[in-house]
């Protein structure tokens, strides 16, 4: 097919466009150009308007696919969206603050986020949903359980690849650490976690979800000075969201049981 070929029939033109889109790797334009061309004809769009519609469709679809890849790469255990969060069921959580956090300025500025509350109050939901918002906004995000992260760091130290492992985690613009406080960490594990937090301090964001208040973190980080240093790293210039003590999951279960009865 020559670039300046003229006099193509409609079927030949469609075949030529299909082949060109395939060659140029424009899958959205390839699948939608007929429908967009028909709509442009009905709406009497100019050539420029038709071309703009084609290109915008391709760009939007590429960004959607990039967002999907970033969300998948983050390693979230399940999908959670802010649109699915029931703020009325947990009035302790400030909806306006959460929606402000969803704009991801805190990630842009490398600030931390702490979501604190009892089990079943929506901590992980908020952590994953805000992490998803960051991924959709173009940031590299990683989700990990606190225990898994510490175990990985300990193994890396034993295998003499600790610096490489810490550097890998440093590449993420947002590191989401879930279930911090569910288990006691020995001094070595706590120190290794501290190294990760220090590496990211004021340069890349950390978001954590914990079932214990900061005052109770001495049960997780048993060395007082180290515990204080970790709290400092996770709160300086940061946002703290307290989800309270009333379990939303427990309330939902009781409501279903009462309805069934």
């Amino acid at each position: 097919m020559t670039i300046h070929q003229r006099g193509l029939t409609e079927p030949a033109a469609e075949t030529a466009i299909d082949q060109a889109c395939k060659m140029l790797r424009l899958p959205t334009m390839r699948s939608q150009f007929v429908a967009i061309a028909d709509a442009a004809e009905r709406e009497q769009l100019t050539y420029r308007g038709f071309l703009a519609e084609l290109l915008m469709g391709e760009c939007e679809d590429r960004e959607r696919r990039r967002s999907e890849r970033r969300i998948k790469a983050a390693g979230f255990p399940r999908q959670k969206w802010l649109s699915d969060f029931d703020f009325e069921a947990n009035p302790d959580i400030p909806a306006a603050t959460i929606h402000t956090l969803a704009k991801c300025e805190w990630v842009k500025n490398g600030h931390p986020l702490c979501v604190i509350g009892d089990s079943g109050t929506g901590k992980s939901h908020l952590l994953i949903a805000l992490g998803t918002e960051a991924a959709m906004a173009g940031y590299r995000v990683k989700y990990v359980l606190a225990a898994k992260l510490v175990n990985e760091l300990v193994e890396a130290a034993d295998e003499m690849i600790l610096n490489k492992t810490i550097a890998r985690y440093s590449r993420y613009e947002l590191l989401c650490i879930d279930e911090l406080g569910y288990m006691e960490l020995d001094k070595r594990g706590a120190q290794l976690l501290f190294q990760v937090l220090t590496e990211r301090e004021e340069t890349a964001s950390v978001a954590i979800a914990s079932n214990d208040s900061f005052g109770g973190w001495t049960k997780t980080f048993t060395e007082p000075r180290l515990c204080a240093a970790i709290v400092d790293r996770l709160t300086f210039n940061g946002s703290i969201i307290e989800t309270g003590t009333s379990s939303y999951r427990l309330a939902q279960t009781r409501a279903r049981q009462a309805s069934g009865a």
Side-chain angles (χ1 to χ4, degrees):
M1 181 183 67
T2 61
I3 295 176
H4 299 292
Q5 196 167 359
R6 295 287 189 269
L8 292 176
T9 63
E10 286 294 298
E14 290 188 7
T15 299
I17 293 170
D18 183 84
Q19 291 175 348
C21 287
K22 184 178 181 180
M23 183 182 301
L24 295 172
R25 298 181 180 179
L26 301 171
T28 304
M29 289 177 62
R30 186 183 183 196
S31 63
Q32 296 183 3
F33 77 86
V34 173
I36 292 176
D38 290 343
E41 191 172 10
R42 288 195 302 272
E43 296 167 14
Q44 296 183 332
L45 291 183
T46 64
Y47 292 129
R48 290 181 180 86
F50 167 59
L51 180 59
E53 289 289 330
L54 273 179
L55 293 175
M56 286 190 297
E58 183 69 42
C59 290
E60 289 170 0
D61 200 51
R62 284 192 178 191
E63 181 53 38
R64 178 188 60 78
R65 294 196 301 272
R66 282 195 292 266
S67 292
E68 289 175 351
R69 288 194 295 269
R70 287 192 297 268
I71 292 171
K72 184 177 180 180
F76 298 119
R78 51 200 172 276
Q79 285 189 342
K80 293 291 182 181
W81 308 95
L82 284 184
S83 57
D84 297 329
F85 193 84
D86 190 349
F87 289 99
E88 292 184 2
N90 195 337
D92 293 326
I93 299 174
T97 300
I98 299 300
H99 289 305
T100 298
L101 290 169
K103 297 177 182 178
C104 299
E105 281 295 311
W106 61 284
V107 181
K108 177 182 177 181
N109 295 323
H111 292 167
L113 169 67
C114 297
V115 186
I116 310 292
D118 282 4
S119 179
T121 57
K123 300 185 306 301
S124 291
H125 188 140
L126 290 175
L127 184 69
I128 294 171
L130 289 171
T132 299
E133 292 290 335
M136 292 173 64
Y139 295 101
R140 295 184 299 274
V141 181
K142 182 64 177 178
Y143 170 97
V144 66
L145 296 176
K148 183 178 184 300
L149 174 58
V150 171
N151 288 337
E152 184 177 351
L153 294 172
V154 170
E155 290 177 6
D158 291 340
E159 296 172 7
M160 306 296 287
I161 56 170
L162 179 61
N163 289 339
K164 181 179 179 181
T165 302
I166 291 177
R168 174 163 50 83
Y169 276 103
S170 298
R171 288 196 292 269
Y172 297 106
E173 291 152 304
L174 172 59
L175 177 60
C176 299
I177 305 176
D178 205 355
E179 297 187 1
L180 186 66
Y182 278 81
M183 62 177 291
E184 178 182 320
L185 301 178
D186 61 23
K187 185 175 181 179
R188 186 186 185 209
Q191 288 174 336
L192 292 173
L193 178 58
F194 180 69
Q195 285 189 47
V196 172
L197 300 179
T198 300
E199 187 76 17
R200 303 179 64 82
E201 186 179 11
E202 297 188 54
T203 61
S205 292
V206 176
I208 65 101
S210 176
N211 66 319
D212 216 340
S213 64
F214 297 120
W217 280 21
T218 51
K219 297 192 296 289
T220 300
F221 307 103
T222 55
E223 206 282 306
R225 292 180 62 184
L226 183 59
C227 180
I230 287 175
V231 171
D232 181 67
R233 294 291 189 280
L234 291 173
T235 56
F236 182 67
N237 282 332
S239 301
I240 301 171
I241 303 296
E242 296 182 303
T243 59
T245 59
S246 300
S247 172
Y248 171 76
R249 287 197 298 263
L250 180 59
Q252 289 290 95
T253 300
R254 287 174 174 170
R256 286 195 299 268
Q257 289 176 341
S259 176

